[in-house]
Amino acid sequence: MKKKLWNKPGFWISWAAIAGLIAIFAFGFSTDPKKVPSPLIGKPAPDFVVKQLDGNQQFRLSEIKTPVVLNFWASWCVECRTEAPVLEAFHQKQNTSDQPLTVIGISIQDSEENARAFAQRFGKSYFLALDDPSGTIALDYGIYGVPETFFIDAQGVIRHKQIGGVTAKLLSQQKEILVSL
């Protein structure tokens, strides 16, 4: 007598594998990548040294003693155009604040010429720099798209990561958290 297909072990193993793949894909497609937590949250921010985009001033992140809003952007990024005025307005408010934050923008996968043109077009006056050609800073921070923004407390610990553009409300909320630490 011939054994029925569903009585063979290979049949059930195949169906189990197919069901497992369907479950993995369903989970992957239902997860919002903007809500995936960064493994850097609660850890010291990777240190770096950069030279200012418009000037010769250099600084080391670890030397900054105020909380930091570290924004990764690019001139070719559409969403970066939307958040540029929001970040600039926030930076301007910091100039008169009794609890200032330092705003830093690092352009990635960009040319110096395009980054400068973008900065000029949007009136960016906070500290701007280019990542090196191999993208060392972006790699250290685990950047996989722009814009991405890190909120770093005065002790140099990353407290929040925003994937996608920032809003005035988010910047205000994160500032309150950072200055209260």
Side-chain angles (χ1 to χ4, degrees):
M1 179 174 214
K2 194 172 182 183
K3 209 172 187 184
K4 297 201 181 214
L5 185 62
W6 55 84
N7 288 335
K8 294 182 180 180
F11 175 80
W12 293 109
I13 292 170
S14 297
W15 275 108
I18 291 170
L21 285 173
I22 290 171
I24 289 170
F25 284 128
F27 175 76
F29 289 124
S30 66
T31 303
D32 183 354
K34 291 185 177 188
K35 294 186 179 175
V36 175
S38 170
L40 296 175
I41 302 296
K43 295 186 177 152
D47 198 18
F48 58 84
V49 176
V50 288
K51 181 177 117 356
Q52 191 171 16
L53 189 59
D54 281 334
N56 291 325
Q57 181 184 359
Q58 280 192 334
F59 82 88
R60 176 177 293 278
L61 179 65
S62 59
E63 293 174 353
I64 298 174
K65 300 304 174 198
T66 65
V68 173
V69 175
L70 177 60
N71 176 256
F72 290 90
W73 61 282
S75 63
W76 44 264
C77 165
V78 175
E79 197 168 358
C80 296
R81 294 177 192 149
T82 303
E83 77 170 2
V86 175
L87 278 165
E88 181 58 31
F90 180 76
H91 167 68
Q92 292 298 326
K93 283 173 61 175
Q94 299 315 300
N95 291 338
T96 59
S97 175
D98 60 338
Q99 297 175 315
L101 272 77
T102 302
V103 181
I104 302 166
I106 306 288
S107 181
I108 65 171
Q109 299 174 351
D110 219 337
S111 72
E112 188 171 338
E113 180 183 329
N114 289 342
R116 282 183 186 187
F118 183 91
Q120 185 176 18
R121 176 179 173 199
F122 289 99
K124 291 184 170 205
S125 63
Y126 51 91
F127 191 95
L128 299 173
L130 277 178
D131 198 353
D132 62 42
S134 60
T136 303
I137 300 170
L139 289 172
D140 287 348
Y141 279 82
I143 303 299
Y144 62 88
V146 285
E148 289 187 24
T149 304
F150 290 82
F151 296 86
I152 304 167
D153 68 22
Q155 291 74 42
V157 176
I158 297 173
R159 297 298 174 180
H160 181 73
K161 176 182 178 183
Q162 172 68 25
I163 299 172
V166 296
T167 63
K169 181 179 178 182
L170 174 75
L171 291 167
S172 177
Q173 288 171 340
Q174 288 303 313
K175 177 182 179 174
E176 291 300 317
I177 292 168
L178 292 175
V179 298
S180 70
L181 297 173

